[in-house]
Amino acid sequence: RSLKVHDHAKRHSNLTMINMGLSKQVPNKDSAARDHLANERTFLAWLRTGLSLAGAGFGVIKFLPGVSSNLILGFFLIGVGICVLAFGALRYFDVMAALENGVFAIDTGGVLLVCGGTAALVFLALVIGIVHILRHR
């Protein structure tokens, strides 16, 4: 009996999500389900990374106040975190459309963008650290 109730609730939940436009039903042929689920997991990794960067930025601003370079670093971290979140969302929908069309979208520009942002972040942190050390000698 409880299995029937669970199946009914699950079916109703899926239909509600589809009717609200929050979910999409696609035929599960070949490896479609596996590919779409992998795309979701990748998006969640981008989400975690973006939130971590933004959270680190808020932490720098909150716990290292009073130094303008820390404020710059904090806001830069928040900005990079927002960019990573936006990139992850755009990439998710791009890959989803490519999977539905039966093609594969190889990402090149996004990788360069993320690497460039990370390199700039590391460089900024290095400069701030060196300036801080030289000021407090």
Side-chain angles (χ1 to χ4, degrees):
R1 166 109 177 114
S2 67
L3 187 59
K4 286 183 181 180
V5 171
H6 174 72
D7 285 343
H8 174 72
K10 188 170 125 183
R11 228 180 353 242
H12 179 71
S13 172
N14 288 342
L15 290 175
T16 302
M17 296 293 281
I18 291 168
N19 290 337
M20 293 175 61
L22 298 174
S23 188
K24 191 174 189 180
Q25 204 166 20
V26 295
N28 185 16
K29 58 183 179 177
D30 299 328
S31 64
R34 183 178 61 224
D35 294 342
H36 283 284
L37 290 172
N39 188 30
E40 268 188 46
R41 285 190 301 274
T42 303
F43 167 72
L44 292 174
W46 282 111
L47 181 72
R48 282 190 305 272
T49 303
L51 289 175
S52 296
L53 287 166
F58 282 113
V60 167
I61 291 170
K62 172 81 174 157
F63 297 113
L64 301 173
V67 181
S68 62
S69 60
N70 291 344
L71 196 60
I72 292 168
L73 179 62
F75 279 114
F76 192 77
L77 278 164
I78 293 169
V80 170
I82 291 169
C83 289
V84 166
L85 287 169
F87 173 75
L90 292 173
R91 178 73 181 149
Y92 171 79
F93 288 110
D94 187 39
V95 170
M96 182 181 69
L99 288 172
E100 289 176 357
N101 293 327
V103 296
F104 181 71
I106 297 175
D107 185 31
T108 54
V111 171
L112 293 174
L113 182 68
V114 170
C115 286
T118 304
L121 186 61
V122 170
F123 180 74
L124 180 62
L126 185 65
V127 168
I128 289 171
I130 289 170
V131 167
H132 182 74
I133 289 170
L134 292 176
R135 283 188 182 167
H136 293 92
R137 276 185 117 174

